[in-house]
């Protein structure tokens, strides 16, 4: 029989007790989570933010940044008045406010183009989280400056603020898709489509939002930016707590892939935690070592063939030849080499031209759609026309983009992408399968475009607004369904390390060849064929 004196002279093993207490506490917490079905923690056991939280955060950021783009087009008349009265506006802007509006949009695109090239390059060297977070902070300051421009009555404050928002947005756009592709498991297409859905949804919301705020007697277009700053600040706070262990923090190994897939589907990981707790110390040590081995978002330079300049786009041929090519050259991540790699991929160049056409059409419709609807006498009020036009585009994007993502997932599943049993997921397919996957996706995207155009053509003869918007909605839905397939094919057209460069390339081409020149050309055609159809 023990006495209090025995406990003092022979104290129990505190380390053992502490371990037992921790295990008991962990078991109790697991039981509570199982019974209450609580959501998973923000970080997993390796300290990396779970996709369950990371992907929706990406979507919200994409919506907000796209909405910021659309404020000026949605409030064009109010901005034209500001440009004609700003105290420091150049004479050419005061005399031609429309030219000043074009200069503002051009400033955004110049900043975006330069920054996306640099971001696609430096993502090879800098961890993605600080790169994206610093860009988002600059974007937030640019939005704040855009609102302050009205208070200062300064054209140049607005000009450089718009340029800053373009610069800051670029890093996010080249990092998020590859990250989603690698972490989404068998649902890579679906989650990528959810992210891409932010583009039409954000542009539509921003167009309507900017129009209503600018014409409000209480607020004004400056408060459109101020309220956006207030609303987006919590996103920056949450993003500050995002963690990743390496440049990208992609977890390697079959166990982490299964866990990541379960997180995306909002399934519990309690059974895995309980099994891990019951393993032997040797197995646990091995598992810990494996879990600590993290594959960067962009792998280190790989040895390539000296006579295969475009090995990324012909990797299937290299694989079929048994990999016997001369291995005396190493890829170096320089701006020049990255540009050469993009141009040497014929698939990527072709996709860029198609994306430019889509960007141009969407932007042109956003610019002149309200005027067209009014000229067709489908609506009597410009604000009502813009509202229904924006709602139609938003619904088409929300419905069409995920449908396209689900279609892409079915195609990827046929090749084992995202299959946990095969040990690969998302982008992690064998090089020999890249071209077959692209060959399976692109014809289906072409069919969607063709059917979408057939649905849009009847709008030329529509006399009722309901039928006009219905056929426009069907056509746009099918067009938006192609976006996920185009992004996946773009990333598969180059090797894994150069996916951000491929995304930067297709984005730049889409803007420089699409939404920058096409609205100008369409505007000239409109003024020549229908001079009475005015915007505003």
């Amino acid at each position: 029989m023990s006495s209090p004196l025995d406990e003092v002279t022979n104290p129990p093993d505190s380390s053992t007790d502490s371990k037992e207490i921790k295990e008991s506490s962990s078991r109790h917490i697991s039981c509570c989570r199982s019974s209450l079905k609580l959501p998973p923690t923000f970080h997993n056991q390796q300290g990396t933010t779970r996709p369950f939280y990371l992907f929706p955060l990406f979507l919200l950021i994409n919506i907000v940044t796209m909405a910021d783009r659309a404020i000026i087009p949605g409030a064009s008349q109010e901005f034209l008045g500001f440009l004609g009265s700003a105290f420091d506006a150049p004479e050419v802007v005061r005399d031609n406010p429309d030219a000043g509006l074009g200069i503002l949009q051009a400033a955004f695109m110049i900043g975006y183009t330069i920054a996306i090239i640099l971001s696609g390059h430096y993502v090879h060297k800098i961890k993605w989280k600080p790169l994206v977070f610093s860009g988002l902070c600059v974007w937030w300051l640019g939005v704040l400056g855009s609102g302050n421009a009205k208070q200062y009555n300064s054209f140049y404050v607005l000009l450089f603020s718009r340029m800053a928002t373009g610069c800051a947005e670029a890093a996010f756009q080249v990092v998020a898709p590859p990250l989603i592709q690698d972490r989404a498991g068998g649902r890579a297409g679906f989650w990528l489509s959810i992210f891409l859905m932010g583009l039409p949804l954000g542009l539509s919301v921003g167009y309507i939002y900017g129009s209503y705020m600018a014409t409000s007697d209480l607020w004004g277009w400056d408060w459109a930016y101020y309220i956006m700053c207030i609303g987006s600040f919590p996103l920056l706070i949450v993003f500050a707590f995002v963690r990743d262990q390496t440049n990208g923090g992609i977890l390697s190994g079959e166990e982490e892939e299964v866990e990541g897939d379960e997180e995306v589907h909002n399934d519990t990981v309690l059974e895995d935690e309980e099994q891990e707790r019951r393993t032997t110390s040797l197995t646990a040590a091995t598992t810990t070592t494996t879990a600590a081995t993290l594959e960067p978002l962009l792998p280190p330079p790989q040895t390539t063939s000296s006579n295969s300049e475009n090995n990324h786009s012909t990797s299937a041929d290299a694989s079929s030849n048994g990999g016997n090519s001369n291995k005396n050259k190493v890829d170096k991540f320089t701006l020049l080499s990255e540009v050469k790699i993009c141009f040497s991929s014929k698939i990527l160049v072709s996709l860029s031209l198609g994306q430019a056409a889509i960007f141009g059409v969407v932007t042109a419709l956003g610019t002149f759609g309200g005027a067209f609807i009014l000229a067709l006498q489908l609506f009597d009020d410009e604000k009502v026309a813009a509202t229904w036009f924006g709602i139609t585009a938003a619904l088409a994007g929300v419905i069409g983009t995920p449908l396209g993502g689900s279609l892409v997932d079915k195609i990827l599943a046929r090749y084992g992408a995202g299959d946990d049993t095969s040990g690969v997921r998302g982008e992690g397919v064998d090089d020999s399968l890249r071209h077959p996957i692209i060959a399976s996706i692109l014809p289906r995207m072409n069919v969607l475009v063709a059917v979408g155009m057939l649905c849009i053509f009847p709008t030329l003869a529509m006399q009722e607004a309901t039928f006009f918007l219905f056929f426009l909605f069907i056509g746009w839905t099918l067009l938006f369904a192609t976006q996920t397939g185009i992004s996946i094919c773009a990333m598969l057209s180059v090797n894994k390390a150069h996916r951000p460069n491929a995304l930067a390339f297709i984005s730049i081409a889409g803007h420089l060849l699409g939404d920058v020149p096409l609205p100008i050309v369409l505007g000239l055609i409109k003024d020549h064929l229908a001079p009475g159809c005015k915007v505003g």
Side-chain angles (χ1 to χ4, degrees):
M1 182 176 178
S2 61
S3 65
L5 182 60
D6 294 333
E7 295 181 1
V8 174
T9 56
N10 300 295
D13 189 349
S14 60
S15 61
T16 302
D17 289 348
S18 176
K19 184 176 181 180
E20 292 178 353
I21 292 173
K22 289 181 179 180
E23 291 180 353
S24 176
S25 176
S26 177
R27 191 181 303 111
H28 177 69
I29 293 174
S30 298
C31 292
C32 291
R33 283 184 172 274
S34 179
S35 60
L36 297 176
K37 295 188 179 300
L38 296 175
T41 57
F42 192 70
H43 301 110
N44 61 16
Q45 293 179 345
Q46 288 78 41
T48 297
T49 301
R50 298 177 186 272
F52 178 77
Y53 298 101
L54 191 62
F55 293 174
L57 181 61
F58 281 168
L59 172 63
L60 292 176
I61 293 174
N62 201 25
I63 291 175
V64 171
T65 54
M66 291 298 133
D68 166 65
R69 288 192 189 188
I71 290 178
I72 290 180
S76 58
Q77 295 302 307
E78 288 69 22
F79 277 95
L80 288 175
F82 168 77
L83 294 175
S85 61
F87 81 94
D88 59 348
E91 185 176 352
V92 64
V93 173
R94 290 184 180 180
D95 296 338
N96 301 280
D98 287 309
L101 206 62
I103 292 174
L104 290 179
Q105 296 295 76
F108 176 90
M109 290 312 308
I110 290 173
Y112 181 84
T113 300
I114 295 174
I116 202 170
I117 295 175
L118 296 178
S119 298
H121 172 68
Y122 282 105
V123 76
H124 297 290
K125 307 174 183 297
I126 302 175
K127 292 183 178 182
W128 73 266
K129 193 253 175 148
L131 180 67
V132 173
F133 182 66
S134 59
L136 290 176
C137 290
V138 174
W139 171 86
W140 191 88
L141 293 175
V143 174
L144 181 64
S146 299
N148 287 337
K150 185 177 182 181
Q151 304 299 324
Y152 299 142
N153 194 30
S154 173
F155 167 77
Y156 286 106
V157 170
L158 183 61
L159 178 70
F160 289 112
S161 295
R162 300 316 302 157
M163 185 177 292
T165 58
C167 292
E169 186 183 319
F172 177 69
Q173 295 297 330
V174 299
V175 167
L179 203 61
I180 293 173
Q181 189 186 23
D182 284 326
R183 292 193 173 187
R187 304 285 285 170
F190 173 78
W191 279 105
L192 183 58
S193 69
I194 293 298
F195 170 77
L196 295 175
M197 184 178 68
L199 189 148
L201 184 59
L203 291 177
S204 301
V205 170
Y207 188 85
I208 298 172
Y209 169 71
S211 175
Y212 272 87
M213 290 295 294
T215 57
S216 171
D217 296 332
L218 180 63
W219 302 104
W221 62 261
D222 54 336
W223 273 99
Y225 290 113
Y226 290 149
I227 293 177
M228 180 167 287
C229 283
I230 297 172
S232 62
F233 189 74
L235 296 179
L236 298 183
I237 299 299
V238 174
F239 197 88
F241 290 95
V242 170
R243 294 182 194 168
D244 241 325
Q245 300 301 322
T246 62
N247 183 16
I250 305 299
L251 299 178
S252 62
E254 185 176 356
E255 178 182 353
E256 290 77 18
E257 289 165 3
V258 175
E259 181 187 358
D261 214 25
E262 289 175 351
E263 290 162 4
V264 175
H265 290 85
N266 194 19
D267 293 334
T268 179
V269 296
L270 298 175
E271 295 180 0
D272 294 338
E273 294 176 355
E274 182 69 14
Q275 181 64 29
E276 181 181 355
R277 188 183 63 80
R278 293 176 179 177
T279 55
T280 62
S281 58
L282 179 60
T283 305
T286 304
T287 304
T288 302
T289 303
T290 304
T293 304
L294 298 175
E295 177 187 355
L297 173 63
L298 301 167
Q302 300 175 352
T303 304
T304 58
S305 169
S306 60
N307 58 359
S308 180
E309 185 180 52
N310 59 343
N311 64 324
H312 54 284
S313 61
T314 59
S315 55
D317 299 334
S319 177
S320 62
N321 291 335
N324 297 331
S325 56
N326 299 326
K327 297 181 179 181
N328 56 3
K329 187 177 180 180
V330 177
D331 282 339
K332 293 183 178 180
F333 294 126
T334 63
L335 286 174
L336 182 60
S337 67
E338 291 161 0
V339 172
K340 287 182 177 179
I341 283 174
C342 291
F343 273 107
S344 63
S345 175
K346 297 179 180 179
I347 295 174
L348 183 61
V349 173
S350 300
L351 287 172
S352 300
L353 295 177
Q355 189 77 322
I358 294 176
F359 280 6
V361 170
V362 171
T363 303
L365 287 176
T367 303
F368 303 108
F372 289 158
I373 291 178
L374 287 176
L376 293 173
Q377 298 180 352
L378 298 175
F379 292 96
D380 297 328
D381 183 76
E382 181 181 3
K383 183 180 291 188
V384 174
T387 300
W388 281 107
F389 199 77
I391 291 175
T392 302
L395 288 177
V398 169
I399 296 174
T401 313
L403 288 178
S406 298
L407 174 62
V408 170
D409 277 336
K410 293 179 179 179
I411 298 174
L412 293 176
R414 287 165 41 193
Y415 293 92
D419 185 2
D420 298 326
T421 60
S422 64
V424 297
R425 59 178 181 170
E427 194 274 342
V429 297
D430 187 81
D431 283 345
S432 62
L433 297 178
R434 293 180 184 274
H435 283 236
I437 291 176
I438 294 175
S440 296
I441 293 178
L442 286 184
R444 290 167 172 80
M445 299 300 106
N446 292 333
V447 171
L448 290 175
V449 172
V451 176
M453 294 302 297
L454 289 176
C455 292
I456 291 177
F457 273 121
T459 60
L460 297 174
M462 295 295 171
Q463 301 295 325
E464 295 290 334
T466 303
F467 293 107
F468 177 88
L469 294 177
F470 173 77
F471 280 94
L472 193 65
F473 166 77
I474 297 297
W476 275 0
T477 299
L478 296 175
L479 290 179
F480 282 125
T482 65
Q483 292 305 294
T484 304
I486 291 175
S487 297
I488 289 288
C489 289
M491 290 188 283
L492 288 175
S493 67
V494 297
N495 61 28
K496 186 175 183 179
H498 289 94
R499 287 177 296 167
N501 303 118
L503 293 171
F505 182 85
I506 196 172
S507 179
I508 293 172
H511 291 305
L512 295 183
L513 302 179
D515 58 10
V516 171
L518 191 57
I520 298 175
V521 174
L522 185 60
L524 294 175
I525 296 175
K526 180 184 71 65
D527 290 339
H528 177 71
L529 297 179
C533 180
K534 299 295 184 180
V535 178

